[in-house]
Amino acid sequence: MKNIKHYILLMAVMAIVPISCSEDYLETKPLDKVSSDATWADGALSEAFVYGVYSHLNYGGFEEEGLASLTDEAMFTHSGRGINVITEGTLSPTGTGNTNIIPQWDELFSAIRQANIAIAELPEATFDNGDLRDRLLGESYFLRAYYYHQVVRFYGGAPIIDQPYGLDDDYSVARSTYEECINFIISDLDQAITLLEGKGETPGRASNLSAMGLKSRVLLYAASDLRDGPTVSSQSSAHGSYSDLGLVAYTAGDRTSRWNAAKTASKALLDATTGYKLDLTTPVSPEEGEANYIALSMGGGSGAADAAAHSDILFERTHSALYTVENDWPLGGIHQGINNGPNGYHNWAGNTPIQQLVDDYEMMDGSKFDWDNPDHASAPYTDRDPRFYATILYDGADWKPRPSDVVSIDPYDQIQTGTYDDGSGGTIPGVDTRSSSIENWNGSRSGYYVRKFIDPDPSLPDNISNAQLVPWPFIRYTEIALNYVEACLETDDEAEALLWLNRIRYRAGMPAISATGSELVELYRNERRIELAYEEHRYFDARRWLIAPETLGRGIKVIKVTATLKTGATPHVPYRYDPEVYDYTYNVVDNTENETRTWEDKMYFMPISRDEINRNELLVQNPGY
């Protein structure tokens, strides 16, 4: 009652006292928002808006679940994430499976909308710094191109939206053809290249080199088998579910000119800058080859590797130790070791290598690894391509110091993924297996762990209290060199292809190759597979080459390692790898515990979700399935 009386008195006073303030009194500004006019009148605020467009890149390829686990590189250890929906071919517009690995249609178009706003507003921005305005505009063109290239390579042709829509606009836009989308992307990249020329390079932000690199990739994909209508129609039913082939491929035109365009774009980038140690004329030592590849995977983000390798990255997702993990849940690149490391280090064994990838690493002399070769089969991890040791943790591999509560089991800091004779008629399960006494549910199902992208610095334990600073390489100079090799092979320029292919091999400590014809093509494809492992290329390469059925569709092979005590030998307690004391056998077996992989040609593309189809009725014409 007292409050009511005060309220009545206040109203009475307000009725008597004349209001003498100006009308601006009612035009207050919210404290938690910035107006559009204010944003584009201030260079720092405009920059902050463009940073928001970058934010849709998320962690890059460092999400907990990786694209590698949808390929013949890896398998994801933990069930129930919808990965099998994709790898078993049961996905559909109403069930697209895991949504963390594949960028979703609506997420990509949300990013495109923000880029469109920046592209529309920046030319009229009123802040004084013209160089900053051009840089932000160039970055926005690049980002729109990047997000559209993601849409196109996962889903095919999409509606071309080049301006921000208002509330009263018609949102029903038909899908453009694949060719129209490629032309649109290339136009944006050409704009970015011009606007970013001379603007310098900042880690995590686009440069003219980033745009040149992406242009190389987009044109390479556009020239590939999957995107050539006549080729794919004669070789595969990959496009059979589309009533309009033009949505996912070129239906006419000179394919040779497309390969030449990819070749020219790739060479332009190679001439514009240099990568990391690609001027060699002979192979480095195996030890240096391994160190070089570790440095490349660290991208300058580790104190235990050559920081100069950062020069190979053209566009990256940076990471900071200052990042605060929401709810204490360690996902993303700053905790790559937790996500993927061995359970014997209290890690989660997320995306573990499978045997098919391991088998594709050559021997040091350049020959193929062969299980039918007794020497290879008895010591499969000896004398392999140095990149193998920099990429994969295998039984007996040396690794970082064990946590204090695991030292008593393994004081030698060696990966244990086998079963070992205890000398008394029993066996000892490896501490990094699913029979381990340390968090067995996080043990590898494949017998391997990934090493690539995990900081090897022994002073940096992989736990929630430590954050590694390794960047994610969206685009690398070496990728563009491989793009150039492929375009050279497709335009009958084998000498140039061999020159660049062998430069990459020399850096890794591998011998030169001198093959020709189809043999050279196969060696190139394997070289690309090994060099770019776990970098989100295999998913697309297997599709665009139309080799998905015999690669991605092979199922999952894993290794079973057994150590038997030699006659008269004394077992190591605690166990350690020792071929002088134990005889080791290696058996390759099928694994279907989490998924039974198959291949359906509809899997060449991702379906557009039913929700998106319902939002835009014109998508019903060709939803992709």
Side-chain angles (χ1 to χ4, degrees), residues 292-502:
N292 287 343
Y293 197 71
I294 291 173
L296 284 165
S297 68
M298 293 300 99
S302 169
D306 185 4
H310 182 265
S311 63
D312 207 67
I313 298 181
L314 303 175
F315 184 50
E316 68 191 89
R317 169 61 158 91
T318 58
H319 296 283
S320 169
L322 300 177
Y323 184 83
T324 300
V325 180
E326 293 86 355
N327 300 321
D328 211 29
W329 183 247
L331 302 180
I334 57 173
H335 290 296
Q336 179 74 355
I338 289 177
N339 289 337
N340 296 286
N343 59 307
Y345 286 82
H346 299 300
N347 300 152
W348 301 348
N351 305 276
T352 59
I354 60 175
Q355 192 64 44
Q356 286 94 329
L357 175 62
V358 172
D359 288 350
D360 281 346
Y361 284 87
E362 294 175 354
M363 304 301 293
M364 268 304 306
D365 62 3
S367 62
K368 291 184 177 182
F369 174 83
D370 185 0
W371 282 107
D372 291 330
N373 182 318
D375 292 334
H376 295 181
S378 62
Y381 311 133
T382 301
D383 293 328
R384 302 294 289 273
D385 182 328
R387 289 171 291 191
F388 168 76
Y389 305 105
T391 304
I392 293 171
L393 293 173
Y394 54 91
D395 184 69
D398 294 326
W399 192 223
K400 296 200 276 189
R402 292 280 185 181
S404 58
D405 62 326
V406 188
V407 170
S408 61
I409 304 174
D410 172 34
Y412 308 107
D413 305 327
Q414 294 179 333
I415 300 300
Q416 297 182 5
T417 58
T419 301
Y420 318 114
D421 192 336
D422 67 1
S424 301
T427 58
I428 302 169
V431 71
D432 303 307
T433 67
R434 297 186 70 80
S435 298
S436 171
S437 59
I438 307 295
E439 299 166 18
N440 55 15
W441 62 92
N442 283 330
S444 170
R445 298 178 189 273
S446 70
Y448 301 103
Y449 293 91
V450 64
R451 172 177 176 170
K452 187 173 180 177
F453 294 130
I454 300 178
D455 194 334
D457 189 339
S459 67
L460 186 67
D462 297 314
N463 60 45
I464 199 168
S465 301
N466 295 281
Q468 67 174 41
L469 306 181
V470 177
W472 172 258
F474 286 111
I475 307 173
R476 277 211 289 140
Y477 185 91
T478 304
E479 177 205 339
I480 310 309
L482 289 164
N483 293 352
Y484 182 59
V485 170
E486 185 170 341
C488 286
L489 291 175
E490 295 291 345
T491 54
D492 298 322
D493 193 355
E494 289 189 347
E496 187 76 353
L498 282 167
L499 173 67
W500 282 90
L501 194 60
N502 285 328

Side-chain angles (χ1 to χ4, degrees), residues 583-596:
D583 289 320
Y584 292 88
T585 57
Y586 303 87
N587 294 309
V588 176
V589 299
D590 293 316
N591 183 285
T592 58
E593 291 177 5
N594 273 8
E595 49 186 300
T596 304

